[in-house]
Amino acid sequence: MRTLVISCSPRKGGNCDILTDVVKRNIDDADIYYTRDINCAACDGCGCCESAGICRHDDGATELYDKIVRAEAIVVIAPVYFYSFDAHTKAIIDRAQFLWRKPKAESIPLYLISCGGQSGENNFIYIQKVLLSWGIAVGAKYKDGLFFSSTDAAGEIVLRDGARRTERALIDWGLKR
C-alpha cells in the first residue's frame, strides 16, 4: 500500500518528529514529507485554478499534491497551533483549492496523529475539521485519529506512551506491516 506520511511540525526534533520516526519504522515504503521543508507559496486567490484547474504556483506543494492524489492512504502527523495547523502547513492545505473542481472518489483513507499542549479532547476538534475539509478537496476520507494532549515540550510524547499507542493505531488502521 502506498502510504503518504505528512509530518507537519515546524519544530525539528519535537514530539511529531518522534512519532514520525515510529511511523517510518512500522510502515514499509512510506513516503515521508515534512511540511517545514516544503517551499510553498500561499494561495493568493488569483482564480487560475477555477478556469484552468491547476494552480499557477509551481513549487514544493505541487510535488506533494502529485503524491497525495496517487496515495492509497495518508497519515498526517501534526501539532496543534491555536486549535488548528501551524501557518506554513495551513498554507499548503489552502493550496488544495485547485482540486475542488476535479472529480474525486473520496476513497483514500486519511488518518491524523496529533499532539497538543492543552489537556482535553476539545484541543483537537478544529484540526480534525480542517483535515476533514482538506480530505474532501483531495479525495480522501477522514477515518480516525490518535490524539496526545498535554504534550508541548519536546520529548514529552515519550511520557504519554506515544510509540506504543502509535504502533497500535497503525495496526488498527491496517497500515502496519
Side-chain angles (χ1 to χ4, degrees):
M1 178 181 291
R2 290 179 307 212
T3 304
L4 179 64
V5 178
I6 305 172
S7 188
C8 302
S9 181
R11 184 169 58 178
K12 266 189 176 178
N15 294 310
C16 289
D17 279 4
I18 292 168
L19 295 176
T20 300
D21 288 342
V22 171
V23 171
K24 271 192 233 184
R25 288 192 307 269
N26 285 278
I27 299 178
D28 290 330
D29 299 325
D31 228 351
I32 313 276
Y33 279 82
Y34 293 87
T35 56
R36 66 176 170 255
D37 296 335
I38 297 173
N39 177 27
C40 173
C43 176
D44 56 12
C46 70
C48 180
C49 62
E50 292 175 17
S51 57
I54 58 169
C55 182
R56 72 178 179 88
H57 298 291
D58 189 10
D59 55 22
T62 306
E63 176 186 335
L64 178 62
Y65 276 104
D66 286 345
K67 293 281 188 179
I68 287 168
V69 298
R70 290 194 310 264
E72 294 175 350
I74 301 171
V75 177
V76 175
I77 304 169
V80 174
Y81 278 66
F82 289 95
Y83 294 98
S84 189
F85 290 91
D86 69 281
H88 186 67
T89 299
K90 186 63 170 70
I92 294 169
I93 288 169
D94 290 348
R95 284 280 298 281
Q97 183 65 30
F98 80 98
L99 290 170
W100 278 109
R101 292 184 179 246
K102 295 186 184 256
K104 295 168 282 303
E106 290 188 20
S107 60
I108 305 168
L110 176 61
Y111 304 95
L112 173 63
I113 301 172
S114 188
C115 302
Q118 294 183 352
S119 62
E121 289 301 310
N122 290 340
N123 195 24
F124 304 101
I125 291 171
Y126 300 105
I127 196 168
Q128 288 177 87
K129 288 180 186 277
V130 171
L131 194 66
L132 176 79
S133 299
W134 178 77
I136 293 167
V138 302
K141 181 154 182 73
Y142 181 70
K143 297 287 189 180
D144 199 8
L146 174 63
F147 307 105
F148 297 94
S149 58
S150 302
T151 53
D152 194 34
E156 229 169 2
I157 196 68
V158 175
L159 302 174
R160 303 284 181 265
D161 206 12
R164 186 193 60 75
R165 289 179 57 200
T166 299
E167 288 174 1
R168 180 78 239 163
L170 295 174
I171 291 167
D172 291 346
W173 299 340
L175 300 175
K176 184 175 163 78
R177 57 181 129 95

